[in-house]
Amino acid sequence: GKKRLALTVIGVMMLMFPMLVTAADEHGPHHNHLAVFAGFTGEARRERSFTLGADYERRISESFGLGALLERASGDRDFWIAAIPFSWHHGHWKFSVAPGIEHEEGHDDHGLVRLSAGYGFKKNNLEIAPLIAVDFVAGDTVLVMGVTIGLGF
């Protein structure tokens, strides 16, 4: 079912990542960052859903970035989350605020604001970052936790 599909997707991403790391430019600053996310969403609203996502960030300066993210929270109810993160980088830390939309099939879309923090462990152009986020949506507070695996280029 859904868990098998999620584990297959994660397995394929893990197998492909070494090829992407080898193929990417290893010199100079990385102005672009592409990442995948795997984690879980809290009980409020999204009912402990397994969450997969992807995000892109363009660094505007050494400290600031602008991007796009798309996530799918799957469980008893399925949600899509799309947002535009504005990020501040300080050392290995990344803090973001992201206005966006939550969509659930058959229901009205809701605006949301996501606040997130992550700490990146970097090796060349590869980054692995534990992430915690809080979505404020339709009067609810939703906790999202997981790991991003990203590639700078």
Side-chain angles (χ1 to χ4, degrees):
K2 290 180 183 179
K3 286 185 180 182
R4 180 179 292 178
L5 176 62
L7 291 173
T8 301
V9 169
I10 291 170
V12 169
M13 290 184 305
M14 290 173 68
L15 290 173
M16 290 178 56
F17 225 81
M19 291 181 285
L20 293 171
V21 171
T22 303
D25 178 20
E26 295 184 8
H27 304 289
H30 302 297
H31 297 290
N32 300 288
H33 189 260
L34 187 60
V36 293
F37 172 83
F40 290 91
T41 300
E43 288 186 40
R45 190 168 190 85
R46 298 190 199 128
E47 301 173 356
R48 298 178 114 183
S49 300
F50 179 72
T51 305
L52 283 176
D55 71 79
Y56 167 79
E57 180 185 28
R58 173 71 180 175
R59 286 293 267 277
I60 299 167
S61 70
E62 187 175 324
S63 298
F64 295 99
L66 176 64
L69 75 81
L70 183 64
E71 284 182 4
R72 170 88 172 170
S74 300
D76 292 336
R77 299 166 59 190
D78 294 332
F79 294 88
W80 283 98
I81 296 88
I84 301 171
F86 296 86
S87 301
W88 177 63
H89 297 264
H90 183 72
H92 290 273
W93 288 97
K94 176 180 175 180
F95 302 94
S96 300
V97 58
I101 295 173
E102 176 193 75
H103 171 78
E104 179 183 13
E105 192 67 39
H107 293 83
D108 290 337
D109 291 349
H110 294 282
L112 67 80
V113 173
R114 172 174 286 188
L115 301 178
S116 65
Y119 187 88
F121 297 94
K122 299 177 184 178
K123 174 76 172 155
N124 298 324
N125 55 338
L126 176 66
E127 180 179 85
I128 298 174
L131 176 88
I132 187 165
V134 178
D135 291 347
F136 299 95
V137 55
D140 292 326
T141 302
V142 182
L143 182 65
V144 181
M145 294 185 296
V147 175
T148 62
I149 301 173
L151 183 66
F153 58 99

